[in-house]
Amino acid sequence: MTEPENPERVTPSSAVPSRRHVLAATAAGGAAMAVGAAGTAGAADGRSTPSTGAPTTPTTPIGPEDPRYLSLTQRGCNARFVGKPDYFRVVHSTAEVVDAVQRAVREGRRIAVRSGGHCFEDFVDHPDIKAVIDMSPMREISYDAERRAFCVEPGAQLAEVYRELFIGWGVTIPAGATAEVGIGGHVVGGGYGVMSRRDGVSVDHLYALEVVVVDKDGTARAVIAKRDPDDPHHDLWWAHTGAGGGNFGVVTRYWFRSPGARGDDPTALLPKAPASFLAFRAGWSWKDLDARDFKTLMRNHGQWCERNSDPDSPYANLFSVLMVNTTQAAGSGAVLAGVIDAAVPGARRLVDDYIAAVGRGVGAEPAIRRPPLSWLNALTSITDTRSSPFKVKSAYLRKTYTDRQLDVLHEHLRPSDDPAARISGTLWLVAYGGAARKVAPDATAVAQRDSILKAVYMAGWDAETQDGKRETEWVRSLYRGVYADSGGVPVPGAVSDGAFINYPDADLADPEQNTSGVPWYTLYYKDNYPRLQRVKAKYDPRDEFRHRLSIRTAR
């Protein structure tokens, strides 16, 4: 077995942010995170004990008879799924992960891995899963002087990652806006967020990672895969730059360093974080939006994104989310929220022009707020401790919606006059493009590089009073209607460009929901899928790591 390499480390703070419910993230630009504790003093020296040695606490299996078991089954943010594995293994090091994987393989138990618990489908909680490896204690964030890269363990939550990198070195990575998301599953799906238009997606800065894989003879071992083209495990690195989790093995460490970064100064090896953000919010109530105004607003927004999503756009520093909700509360019909680096010349004028362009020709004037926020405050604006059931679907947009699609959106999103018929649903149109377009579609596993927006379709419900059938059918009907011209799914083409694997949707593999004839894996991976299949065959030949949308070995 290949022994994992041991970088020099710095122990981070141990703050644990609170959970945020996915449907509550209607913050400025969606940039909501919980605040961690202060950064470790002396962090830049890069010295401490690595996590790959002997176990530091007992790692015996936690089964149903253990009082901790129930809490571990309920760690997922989507209460739609609650698993009942034979046991959990809560791990603290790579050595413990190797041991946990080896034991499950020897026992013939199907494995799943959980870091932050934000999978939107049942990949961890499926009834066939018998052994869950919980990565939550693995949260170290440090500078590895030998590799000239920042090492982050998969249990670290995004709030912790942002805070440690910023307080210690003034740098950041472009990643998500949800505080409690574990970086373990977030990065492997591509990872994007408030800095992605300026700096690309998370994997554009991924230098290396450590993965516990299972060989053909059933032996678990840890390997380190690097971005360097001549690295013997380069294909394994590439597969983890957008294929999603649960496919090839268990990631135990990530190393981040921007391509082309030179020297030994850690403050120059990742993008600099802004000092402060200018935040904005504009809202249009449904009472002020008839069908014409709604379509005008949506069309304005899409066309603005078409004009301003190139890497060299003066708006590359602006991140926004247009959220259209099915509620009748004042100012909540359509909400445009976001942030821009306050140091950008003319930032306030750029924001004013943006809001004016989106609202041009719409009857009602929006309410606008621009509170100044520090970098960390901008990423810690909203938290929520609830965990509720929901259904999510996604799509990449290359162009704004057609008139027919806008009619479908208006029909589904406008609140019903009958309170009993109302659905708690929403559409998010999240800014994309910018620096993400600098990277070729086959350079990483993220194939969608020229899209302008990520569309997220959601419905949630109260588990105590609703069974979710009506809400699930509502979001399915909305999705089928929007993509009716391409078999009910966003087939890559002139307007759409497939779906986002970090928002997995098992419906795409259901021939009743996907009548396009285009397989689910093409929607997620486009032309990159055959290469992913070859990596799967090499590093997981026994198919130990699998779920309903996992990479299939080519036959």
Side-chain angles (χ1 to χ4, degrees), residues 157-179:
Q157 296 176 343
L158 292 182
E160 298 169 315
V161 175
Y162 289 137
R163 185 171 184 87
E164 293 297 327
L165 292 180
F166 179 65
I167 296 298
W169 300 276
V171 299
T172 190
I173 57 173
T178 304

Side-chain angles (χ1 to χ4, degrees), residues 78-102:
N78 191 352
R80 183 178 167 210
F81 307 108
V82 178
K84 294 182 179 179
D86 293 345
Y87 61 76
F88 290 87
R89 289 286 297 272
V90 181
V91 295
H92 304 77
S93 68
T94 299
E96 291 182 13
V97 174
V98 171
D99 179 70
V101 171
Q102 190 66 77

